[in-house]
Amino acid sequence: MRLFRRQCGFLTFLGTFAYLIGCHIIMRTHETRTEGVLDCTGALTVLATKLTAVAYNYQDGLTLLKEKDQGAKAKDAQEKEELTDEQRRREERMERSRLERRKAALVTMPSLLELMGYLFCFGLHMTGPFFEFKAYDDWTTKQGIWSPTLKQPSVLPPFFRAFVQGILAALVFLLVSPSLDLTRISDPLKNRAYPFHLRWLFAHQASLVWRFRAYILWSITEAAMVIGGLGFTGWEAAKGEAVKRGGVKGEAAGKQLNGNGDGDGDASKPEDDKTCAAPVGEGKALWSRARNADILGFEFPKSCLDFATTWNISYGLWLRLYVYERMVPPGRKANFFHMLATMFVSAVSHGLNWGDFIFFANWALVVASSKAIYQLTSGIPKGTIAHRIVAVLHTLYGIFVCSYMASAFCVMTLSGAYSAYSGMYYTGTIIPIFLIVLSMVYKPRRPKRVKSE
């Protein structure tokens, strides 16, 4: 990091994931996972995300300092240019990305003790969740939102919520897992002996077992981080109430002020604000840093896009900040292949199994199909009966394709994935492709917006 600061992020990414791939091969992750054993590669994946993030943050500390000096001039020049709506939206996304990077950027390299403390902090090493080094540093040094001069919220309500959530997840796991038989999915002869709806139910049961096992681990981790105070992310201002030093109102305040759950201050002034931007002690205390799953949001999604924001939230954040967005060239629009490459990185981190690669490739298709659904239904006025029917169908579609594509992740082998997908006639792959192609050829007229004077 000190020798190659300008490229240390990418070099660390290559080194950590090369080591992780070697561990997957040596430890034969595909065999141990089939037997239900969780080996150390899961913990190594968490360590890889932390090391990569610190390296990129240190690299950004060098590059973003120059942007800070030249930011005012560039902004004035941009405002003079006439941009289309698409270009303006792209510029806004790029600016948000730069702000998030700037908040997490490290001017100086952490000491060995600080780095080891961050990597092996409770709740982090085995199961995550991921968060930035700056948040950990502020927590240990009692700065920012953890400053002794600021009011701190009670940890008991969110702690008991996470603790009870873990108990309920364990009960569901114990209720569903004893009757699980993966051969009814992976064995073609057994699979074909059942009607279509039972084949899907078996896939749904298998995915439930995997999901609720993860919910148990993440709930325990969340409870540990909350009781230690590390899960606190700031205060959300009451609806309609302007927040301190920001001007952001309503529900968006918590998201913009805390960004990715790390750093402090208003997103529009990340380099100036040193404390929590919302009124201290007012509104609702936010504990999103420790939360790695929104169970109800994932089990009953409004759209397939919710899968990425409600499941393994912190890892999805890491993929977006350090893989997806950094893969797209400046000024260019991200496309399906960038999403597919991001899913490939996620598959490699989970293990070198055919089921993982098939699952994440199908995930990229499903996410693209969800965007296609929004485009195809954009002509339906909101609030109408037709719009509500489409919303219900979108939720049912999400539940169906989630269990379909997760069946490959559960069985892991190529033959097992073929048996699972072919047993459901590849419907979870054909339907997304059909929706994507249809959105390319059919462009519905959007309802005209009434401009308010």
Side-chain angles (χ1 to χ4, degrees):
M1 289 173 61
R2 200 177 289 274
L3 294 176
F4 305 98
R5 185 171 183 179
R6 293 183 181 277
Q7 296 85 24
C8 65
F10 183 67
L11 293 176
T12 303
F13 175 83
L14 289 180
T16 53
F17 272 79
Y19 176 76
L20 187 61
I21 291 172
C23 291
H24 281 310
I25 296 173
I26 294 172
M27 298 179 184
R28 298 179 297 178
T29 309
H30 62 286
E31 296 180 6
T32 57
R33 271 182 51 191
T34 306
E35 299 168 358
V37 178
L38 296 177
D39 57 26
C40 67
T41 54
L44 293 176
T45 301
V46 177
L47 289 178
T49 60
K50 302 291 188 302
L51 284 170
T52 303
V54 171
Y56 269 120
N57 295 156
Y58 186 58
Q59 175 180 312
D60 291 340
L62 179 66
T63 58
L64 293 179
L65 286 177
K66 295 181 180 179
E67 289 186 9
K68 181 180 176 181
D69 297 334
Q70 302 172 357
K73 297 180 181 179
K75 188 175 181 181
D76 293 339
Q78 262 188 10
E79 289 177 350
K80 295 179 181 179
E81 296 179 0
E82 293 185 359
L83 302 176
T84 63
D85 291 341
E86 179 63 28
Q87 290 174 333
R88 189 174 293 106
R89 285 194 295 267
R90 191 180 306 168
E91 288 295 328
E92 289 175 355
R93 286 194 296 268
M94 291 175 61
E95 182 62 22
R96 285 196 299 268
S97 177
R98 282 194 293 266
L99 290 172
E100 288 178 339
R101 294 185 189 183
R102 191 176 298 170
K103 287 196 296 182
L106 299 174
V107 178
T108 59
M109 192 171 71
S111 66
L112 180 61
L113 180 61
E114 290 173 331
L115 182 61
M116 297 299 286
Y118 170 63
L119 295 177
F120 296 98
C121 176
F122 64 87
L124 292 181
H125 177 45
M126 296 302 295
T127 59
F130 162 80
F131 55 82
E132 302 289 1
F133 174 83
K134 268 198 171 182
Y136 169 79
D137 186 52
D138 286 348
W139 175 67
T140 54
T141 56
K142 295 189 180 299
Q143 297 179 7
I145 58 176
W146 292 281
S147 173
T149 60
L150 301 179
K151 179 182 177 181
Q152 300 298 312
S154 173
V155 299
L156 294 181
F159 167 75
F160 283 115
R161 185 199 62 79
F163 185 73
V164 171
Q165 176 180 281
I167 293 176
L168 294 177
L171 291 176
V172 174
F173 176 80
L174 292 174
L175 181 66
V176 178
S177 60
S179 58
L180 176 63
D181 183 6
L182 286 177
T183 59
R184 290 185 294 194
I185 305 173
S186 58
D187 189 338
L189 296 178
K190 282 188 177 182
N191 189 265
R192 300 302 188 279
Y194 297 99
F196 177 85
H197 68 281
L198 286 182
R199 298 175 198 170
W200 179 82
L201 283 176
F202 294 148
H204 187 65
Q205 180 192 20
S207 62
L208 273 179
V209 170
W210 277 97
R211 293 202 298 271
F212 275 85
R213 180 164 65 175
Y215 292 151
I216 297 170
L217 298 174
W218 289 337
S219 297
I220 295 172
T221 302
E222 180 180 354
M225 290 182 62
V226 166
I227 201 68
L230 183 54
F232 179 51
T233 53
W235 298 91
E236 181 182 35
K239 189 174 182 180
E241 179 181 317
V243 295
K244 181 181 178 183
R245 303 176 71 180
V248 184
K249 298 183 179 181
E251 293 181 358
K255 295 179 182 178
Q256 290 196 12
L257 296 174
N258 297 291
N260 57 11
D262 304 301
D264 309 306
D266 180 16
S268 62
K269 300 178 181 179
E271 68 277 6
D272 296 329
D273 293 340
K274 301 298 182 182
T275 60
C276 181
V280 178
E282 299 180 14
K284 180 182 177 182
L286 301 174
W287 298 88
S288 57
R289 196 189 319 279
R291 197 175 188 187
N292 214 17
D294 178 0
I295 298 179
L296 292 179
F298 187 86
E299 299 298 330
F300 304 99
K302 293 181 181 179
S303 76
C304 300
L305 296 175
D306 290 347
F307 293 151
T309 58
T310 56
W311 171 264
N312 207 351
I313 298 171
S314 62
Y315 187 64
L317 174 68
W318 179 85
L319 285 173
R320 178 176 68 83
L321 294 177
Y322 298 102
V323 181
Y324 182 71
E325 291 184 352
R326 294 175 186 269
M327 197 184 303
V328 182
R332 300 286 297 276
K333 184 179 179 182
N335 55 42
F336 174 74
F337 295 101
H338 294 118
M339 172 67 71
L340 194 63
T342 305
M343 291 297 122
F344 177 80
V345 172
S346 183
V348 169
S349 66
H350 282 78
L352 303 179
N353 309 306
W354 277 107
D356 292 335
F357 290 107
I358 294 172
F359 165 72
F360 283 105
N362 217 84
W363 187 316
L365 276 177
V366 168
V367 170
S369 72
S370 188
K371 295 179 181 178
I373 291 174
Y374 276 119
Q375 179 179 328
L376 292 170
T377 59
S378 60
I380 302 176
K382 293 183 179 180
T384 61
I385 296 177
H387 185 268
R388 293 172 184 171
I389 293 174
V390 169
V392 173
L393 292 176
H394 202 167
T395 297
L396 295 176
Y397 168 72
I399 295 173
F400 172 79
V401 295
C402 176
S403 298
Y404 165 87
M405 63 184 183
S407 60
F409 184 86
C410 296
V411 297
M412 283 173 284
T413 61
L414 180 61
S415 60
Y418 169 77
S419 173
Y421 280 18
S422 62
M424 289 179 275
Y425 307 114
Y426 303 101
T427 49
T429 303
I430 295 174
I431 294 176
I433 294 176
F434 171 76
L435 291 172
I436 294 170
V437 174
L438 182 62
S439 68
M440 294 178 179
V441 298
Y442 174 67
K443 306 290 183 181
R445 291 183 178 179
R446 297 188 178 184
K448 294 182 179 180
R449 295 182 179 179
V450 179
K451 295 183 178 180
S452 58
E453 296 182 359

